Amino acid sequence: MTYVLVSSAFVAVTLAVLAVAAVVGRPDRRWWAATGLTLAALMVLTAVFDNLMIAVDLFGYVDDQISGLKIGLAPIEDFAWPVAAVAGLPALALLVDRVLDRPDRSDRPAR
């Protein structure tokens, strides 16, 4: 099984959860902006730290199991994990808020 196949399954599931959360929870622009900024930060961190860990030989990849596309030393497949995390976790939080019938946090007074 290739890394692309494994990671694409996780990304597909989390994107489906995000789609459901977007329809059910109807997040506003601030939510999308925060989610986008989180994705950007995690992609940068993934690029930096995966390259460092591969460079010092903490782990590696079997060449015939990766696509061959790389950012530095990190295969492009490694960047699926931050996408899955950023799609899945905020979407789950949005759905849980909806299930618990919590009021929108923007209506709460500042403390």
Coordinates of all heavy atoms in Angstrom, one line a residue, residues 1-13 64-67 76-78 80-81 84:
M1 N 0.8 -1.2 0.0 CA 0.0 0.0 0.0 C 0.9 1.2 0.0 O 1.8 1.3 0.8 CB -0.9 0.0 1.2 CG -1.9 1.1 1.2 SD -3.1 1.0 2.6 CE -4.0 -0.4 2.2
T2 N 0.6 2.2 -0.9 CA 1.4 3.4 -1.0 C 1.0 4.4 0.0 O -0.1 4.4 0.6 CB 1.3 4.0 -2.4 OG1 0.0 4.4 -2.6 CG2 1.8 3.0 -3.4
Y3 N 1.9 5.4 0.3 CA 1.6 6.5 1.2 C 0.5 7.3 0.7 O -0.3 7.8 1.5 CB 2.8 7.3 1.5 CG 3.9 6.6 2.2 CD1 5.1 6.3 1.6 CD2 3.8 6.1 3.5 CE1 6.2 5.6 2.2 CE2 4.8 5.5 4.2 CZ 6.0 5.2 3.5 OH 7.0 4.5 4.2
V4 N 0.4 7.5 -0.6 CA -0.7 8.3 -1.2 C -2.0 7.6 -0.9 O -3.0 8.3 -0.6 CB -0.5 8.4 -2.7 CG1 -1.7 9.1 -3.4 CG2 0.8 9.2 -3.1
L5 N -2.1 6.3 -1.1 CA -3.4 5.7 -0.8 C -3.8 5.8 0.6 O -5.0 6.1 0.9 CB -3.3 4.2 -1.2 CG -4.5 3.3 -1.1 CD1 -5.6 3.9 -2.1 CD2 -4.2 1.9 -1.5
V6 N -2.9 5.6 1.5 CA -3.3 5.7 3.0 C -3.7 7.1 3.3 O -4.7 7.3 4.0 CB -2.1 5.2 3.8 CG1 -2.3 5.5 5.3 CG2 -1.8 3.8 3.6
S7 N -2.9 8.1 2.9 CA -3.2 9.5 3.3 C -4.4 10.0 2.6 O -5.2 10.7 3.2 CB -2.0 10.4 3.0 OG -1.7 10.4 1.7
S8 N -4.7 9.6 1.4 CA -5.9 10.0 0.7 C -7.2 9.5 1.3 O -8.2 10.2 1.3 CB -5.8 9.7 -0.8 OG -5.8 8.3 -1.0
A9 N -7.1 8.3 1.9 CA -8.3 7.8 2.6 C -8.6 8.7 3.8 O -9.8 9.1 4.0 CB -8.1 6.4 3.1
F10 N -7.6 9.1 4.6 CA -7.8 10.0 5.7 C -8.3 11.4 5.3 O -9.2 11.9 5.9 CB -6.5 10.1 6.6 CG -6.3 9.0 7.5 CD1 -5.5 7.9 7.1 CD2 -6.9 9.0 8.7 CE1 -5.3 6.9 7.9 CE2 -6.6 7.9 9.6 CZ -5.8 6.8 9.2
V11 N -7.7 11.9 4.2 CA -8.1 13.2 3.8 C -9.6 13.2 3.2 O -10.4 14.1 3.5 CB -7.1 13.7 2.7 CG1 -7.7 15.0 2.0 CG2 -5.8 14.0 3.3
A12 N -9.9 12.1 2.5 CA -11.3 12.0 2.0 C -12.3 12.0 3.1 O -13.3 12.7 3.1 CB -11.4 10.8 1.1
V13 N -12.0 11.2 4.2 CA -13.0 11.2 5.3 C -13.1 12.5 6.0 O -14.2 13.0 6.3 CB -12.5 10.1 6.3 CG1 -13.3 10.2 7.6 CG2 -12.7 8.7 5.7
D64 N 9.8 3.4 -3.7 CA 8.7 2.9 -4.6 C 7.3 3.0 -3.9 O 6.3 2.7 -4.6 CB 9.0 1.5 -5.0 CG 9.0 0.5 -3.9 OD1 9.1 0.9 -2.7 OD2 8.9 -0.7 -4.2
Q65 N 7.3 3.6 -2.7 CA 6.0 3.7 -2.0 C 5.5 5.2 -2.0 O 4.4 5.5 -1.6 CB 6.1 3.2 -0.6 CG 6.3 1.8 -0.5 CD 5.2 0.9 -1.0 OE1 4.0 1.2 -0.6 NE2 5.4 0.0 -1.8
I66 N 6.3 6.1 -2.5 CA 6.0 7.5 -2.6 C 5.8 8.0 -4.0 O 6.3 7.3 -5.0 CB 7.0 8.4 -1.8 CG1 8.4 8.3 -2.4 CG2 7.0 8.1 -0.3 CD1 9.4 9.2 -1.9
S67 N 5.2 9.1 -4.2 CA 4.9 9.7 -5.5 C 6.2 10.2 -6.2 O 6.2 10.2 -7.4 CB 3.9 10.8 -5.5 OG 4.4 11.9 -4.8
I76 N 5.5 14.8 -0.8 CA 4.3 15.5 -0.8 C 3.2 14.9 0.0 O 2.3 15.5 0.6 CB 3.8 15.9 -2.3 CG1 2.9 17.1 -2.3 CG2 3.2 14.7 -2.9 CD1 3.6 18.4 -2.2
E77 N 3.2 13.6 0.1 CA 2.2 12.8 0.9 C 2.2 13.2 2.3 O 1.2 13.1 3.0 CB 2.5 11.3 0.8 CG 2.3 10.7 -0.6 CD 3.6 10.7 -1.5 OE1 4.5 11.6 -1.2 OE2 3.7 9.9 -2.4
D78 N 3.4 13.6 2.8 CA 3.4 14.1 4.2 C 2.5 15.3 4.5 O 2.1 15.5 5.7 CB 4.8 14.4 4.6 CG 5.6 13.3 5.3 OD1 5.0 12.2 5.4 OD2 6.7 13.5 5.7
A80 N -0.5 15.7 3.5 CA -1.9 15.3 3.7 C -2.3 15.3 5.1 O -3.5 15.6 5.4 CB -2.1 13.9 3.0
W81 N -1.4 15.0 6.0 CA -1.8 14.9 7.4 C -2.2 16.2 8.0 O -3.2 16.3 8.7 CB -0.6 14.2 8.2 CG -0.3 12.9 7.6 CD1 0.9 12.6 7.1 CD2 -1.1 11.8 7.4 NE1 0.8 11.3 6.6 CE2 -0.4 10.8 6.8 CE3 -2.5 11.5 7.8 CZ2 -0.9 9.6 6.4 CZ3 -3.0 10.3 7.4 CH2 -2.2 9.3 6.8
A84 N -5.6 16.9 6.7 CA -6.6 16.1 7.4 C -6.9 16.6 8.8 O -8.1 16.7 9.2 CB -6.2 14.6 7.4

